[in-house]
Amino acid sequence: MSERLQSARPDETSAIVWLGFMAMCVGMFMAILDVQVVATSLPTIQSALGIDPDQMSWIQTAYLIAEVVAIPLTGFLTRLLTMRWLFVIAISLFVAASAGCAASGSFGELVAWRVLQGFSGGTLIPSVFSAVFILFRNERQALATTIAGVLAVLAPTVGPIVGGWLTQTYSWHWLFLINIIPGIVSAILAARSLPRQATDPSELRHLDGLSLLLMATALTTLELSLKEAPTSGWTSAYVLSLLTVCLASGGVFVWRTLRRDRPIVDLGNFGDRNFLVGSVLSFVLGIGLFGSVYLMPVFLAFIRGHDALEIGMTMLVTGIAQLVTAPIAVALEKRMDARLLSAAGFALFAIGVGMSAFQDPRTDYDAMFWPQVVRGVAIMFCLLPPTRLALGTLPPDRIPDASGLFNLMRNLGGAIGIALIDTIIYTRSEPLGQALWTRLQAGDIEAGAFVGAPPQTISAHSGSFDADTMALLDPLVQTAASVQAINEAWMIVAILTGCALLSVPFARRPAST
């Protein structure tokens, strides 16, 4: 296997190899973008297909569960099919599933296609990051990682604007139809441009079906528990049952995998100190990146009342900052210690997240501009150096498995981060609202200004309000309480992001590029 992957790296990186790599990046971009464009248009899809409101979230959940199960299988599938054919087959299935989603006439049909779309899309992301270290030599890896990284973090940023524009201008079907032509072109280019290697059908004989089932069970129940916990409660019987199954199946999977000579996923990669530190950073980046991309639309939609297109225009600031910073990140990544750049990136990202923790009900584009710029500048330094730390020193035969685990950690961080954010918003809004009422009844001018209440209503007031005043203030207080809960979520995410700095000193300095 090592020889096969080593042979995939040409002596001189040719334009044709770069063309194949760019085709892979386009496929990865589409897979990540698909989650965001659909999220913005779920109400439209619900209305068109007559889906019950309590079932609507399964359109996204089905995709995410299938994706998270597929990601760690990338190493096994690469050994079985080769990097070239894995990508071509995965992108072809993704295109077919996208067409199926667009043609769906019922909820069940759409969810079934979303499962196939999620599973095929899940292998595209780690395949690209594997390709960086398999196809290119050290001096080209920073540029290749930057291209992949920019597209990976740009997709969630531009997703809302693309989804909103497509739905408003055409119809929800185009959320899926936009994947077809780029997907077909990517498949053709990859098939013609990526290095040719022999497939290895013997890998199927070593497939551990029980471990695959245990891993799929653990990841599926974890995703379901994280989805349900904020609304049902972390101590509800349903959530506790899911977490119990997750821990049991996950524990047996780890025990069984570590005892096998040819495991379905090489967990031994975590024994490499740099890979472990890089994976921790990837997990924390998932919390910060997915958390910030989730919190902004929540605020802009439910507090400010903006539509998907307006939300996308506001969030575009982060994407522009990323693009401007990318060349600087490449230059510094070649010259500076990856540990130092990682620490600087996560410190800056934590500051950018924390800057959003002081919003009020009237906060909009102007107040959100600089926090987004800071986060956009920081993101590339949170992605490039940790990727090199995690994958840059591993032998070629270990990279596909390691890339799957590395990307899985980011997705799990995002899922846990969003569950934590939802829990804070659901549980903190009511007590924060009660605290605001107490302050308003005591005549607190500062609380009145935050809520947006007329000054004459609060000034020198003491005691309960009459019915008319209560009716006037109630929606203002509810909105302000939600803002305070969102601010608390921003601050928690900032603190967790800053905690990533604790892991950086444990990494060894990677080899100079």
Side-chain angles (χ1 to χ4, degrees), residues 437-488:
W437 276 118
T438 301
R439 293 175 62 188
L440 293 174
Q441 289 171 350
D444 190 325
I445 299 297
E446 184 179 344
F450 181 83
V451 169
Q456 63 274 16
T457 304
I458 307 301
S459 180
H461 180 83
S462 181
S464 300
F465 295 104
D466 58 47
D468 290 341
T469 305
M470 289 282 289
L472 171 68
L473 294 178
D474 186 62
L476 298 176
V477 171
Q478 288 188 32
T479 299
S482 296
V483 171
Q484 288 185 329
I486 290 171
N487 287 347
E488 289 188 359

Side-chain angles (χ1 to χ4, degrees), residues 221-244:
T221 51
L222 177 61
E223 285 281 334
L224 289 174
S225 65
L226 293 174
K227 173 181 176 290
E228 293 296 327
T231 52
S232 300
W234 288 89
T235 57
S236 66
Y238 178 60
V239 172
L240 288 177
S241 298
L242 288 171
L243 290 174
T244 300

